[in-house]
Amino acid sequence: MTPVFDGHNDALLRLSKVQGDPVAVFRDGGPGHVDVPKARKGGLIGGFFALYSPTPNLPLDFKLFDTAPYDIPLPPALSRDEAAVPVAAQVAIAQALENEGLLRFIRQADEVDPAFDADTMAAVLHLEGAECIGPEGEGLDELFEAGLRSLGPVWSRPTAFAHGVPFRFPSDGDTGPGLTPEGRALIRACRDRQMVVDCSHMTLKGFHDVGEEGVALVATHSNACAVSNGARNLTDDQLRAVGQSGGMVGLNYATMFLRPDGGRDPHGALDHAVAHLAHMVEHAGEDHVGLGSDFDGAPMPAGLDSAADLPNLVALMEQAGFGQALISRICADNWRAFLKRTLA
Ligand code: ZN
């Protein structure tokens, strides 16, 4: 079985909402896309685990994606206090999973190989939307201390740091302004700590602003506009910039980001995964493309209902004529090399 290291999941958010003990649910399995039994079955050896604050009383309704065109308005900004409560709860779950030996968090470059090669799932702690951080970077050091090594300044929602892209189809990511001065300072603070900066959910302008601050351009869970022309996906220029900066782009399995029609229908959505990967490899380069599932945070295609089904995605790459070396790079080796050259 081909090992897979994944660029983005929302398992910590899902576990923060379960009845009962989240550690037991993760260890023993249940509904949801990522847990220990499903990871074992599908070859998932680890990934980026996101901390995310939902907008109170405004859950994202996936029915809005049923038929394109759509242009879902950005939700209002969250206050720092509103964002901090769910983040703290998810950090506590992450620490409990590590204490129970179910996850092994990577905090520095020399921990990457041992974590990738261990039986325990490897994890990079990621913040998706930096609302819980103050405009002067307050709170960043506490999160770094807790293990945070990757940060996306925005989800699809405005923050003090940048503007998120709306879920819009058809559209590229050129939907609004980029980084604010506070955002540029936050990117430099991440750069100084040798953290990953994630541009998924950012506007095209914000993406290039991040590049100007001298960090590798990374979109942990975004696809190719050339195949599915939605604002959450990347243009060919952006894909080239990812490769030129030494960054990474991770294939998102969400049906509406895979499908050329931008819709949510799970049937046939997986058939387009390889077209995205081939396009991303062509423009970003074969060392700069990985996987970024969005497990536990998005509607999955038929045939890839959870981490247990990852061999189906690998089989599609084989059928498309991807060689074993390229498949290994996309599935885990590129994320491994990227983390080794990025973290301190
Ligand atoms: Zn996301």
Side-chain angles (χ1 to χ4, degrees):
M1 193 157 41
T2 304
V4 170
F5 185 90
D6 180 71
H8 186 91
N9 75 61
D10 290 297
L12 296 173
L13 172 69
R14 177 176 61 80
L15 292 169
S16 72
K17 297 180 189 167
V18 296
Q19 301 287 323
D21 177 11
V23 172
V25 169
F26 192 73
R27 181 189 60 220
D28 302 333
H33 301 151
V34 178
D35 53 42
V36 171
K38 294 193 188 81
R40 288 246 159 85
K41 188 161 181 227
L44 182 68
I45 60 164
F48 286 65
F49 282 68
L51 308 167
Y52 170 72
S53 305
T55 307
N57 308 315
L58 197 63
L60 180 58
D61 181 359
F62 291 129
K63 287 197 195 75
L64 295 168
F65 297 92
D66 279 353
T67 322
Y70 45 77
D71 185 5
I72 302 168
L74 293 175
L78 278 191
S79 73
R80 194 177 166 206
D81 287 345
E82 281 175 313
V85 175
V87 165
Q90 291 164 47
V91 167
I93 292 170
Q95 288 171 342
L97 293 173
E98 181 166 58
N99 292 341
E100 292 298 317
L102 303 177
L103 288 181
R104 177 173 171 151
F105 280 93
I106 294 169
R107 292 177 171 81
Q108 55 193 54
D110 63 5
E111 295 174 352
V112 173
D113 279 335
F116 269 62
D117 296 331
D119 284 338
T120 306
M121 282 172 79
V124 174
L125 194 60
H126 169 71
L127 180 62
E128 183 172 32
E131 285 94 342
C132 66
I133 292 176
E136 308 292 324
E138 304 93 326
L140 179 62
D141 281 326
E142 288 79 356
L143 281 168
F144 186 88
E145 199 59 35
L148 192 76
R149 291 296 181 273
S150 173
L151 181 149
V154 283
W155 184 69
S156 290
R157 192 170 54 195
T159 71
F161 307 108
H163 296 264
V165 281
F167 298 103
R168 183 186 292 176
F169 189 100
S171 174
D172 61 20
D174 193 10
T175 62
L179 291 176
T180 64
E182 292 81 4
R184 285 189 181 267
L186 180 63
I187 301 305
R188 289 194 287 271
C190 292
R191 185 191 67 198
D192 293 347
R193 289 163 180 75
Q194 292 184 258
M195 296 171 67
V196 178
V197 174
D198 182 17
C199 297
S200 283
H201 293 279
M202 249 196 206
T203 60
L204 193 146
K205 178 97 175 48
F207 174 94
H208 290 300
D209 288 347
V210 168
E212 284 175 13
E213 297 301 333
V215 297
L217 287 163
V218 174
T220 56
H221 58 306
S222 294
N223 297 339
C225 281
V227 180
S228 174
N229 189 27
R232 276 282 286 101
N233 290 340
L234 303 184
T235 64
D236 292 355
D237 276 351
Q238 286 178 291
L239 291 170
R240 274 190 289 275
V242 165
Q244 284 161 4
S245 71
M248 282 290 292
V249 55
L251 179 77
N252 191 316
Y253 313 158
T255 54
M256 56 278 194
F257 306 146
L258 286 174
R259 297 180 63 91
D261 64 9
R264 187 173 62 119
D265 187 355
H267 302 288
L270 192 56
D271 298 346
H272 306 287
V274 167
H276 283 280
L277 286 171
H279 194 86
M280 285 150 65
V281 165
E282 182 186 342
H283 292 274
E286 63 181 30
D287 294 330
H288 303 286
V289 177
L291 302 177
S293 65
D294 224 343
F295 278 147
D296 285 325
M300 288 294 121
L304 187 47
D305 293 311
S306 78
D309 292 336
L310 283 166
N312 294 341
L313 177 59
V314 175
L316 287 173
M317 291 185 228
E318 288 166 350
Q319 286 160 25
F322 287 23
Q324 194 52 53
L326 179 59
I327 291 174
S328 297
R329 278 188 175 131
I330 290 171
C331 287
D333 293 351
N334 284 345
W335 277 123
R336 182 197 289 251
F338 168 78
L339 289 168
K340 284 165 75 170
R341 69 178 178 259
T342 302
L343 299 178

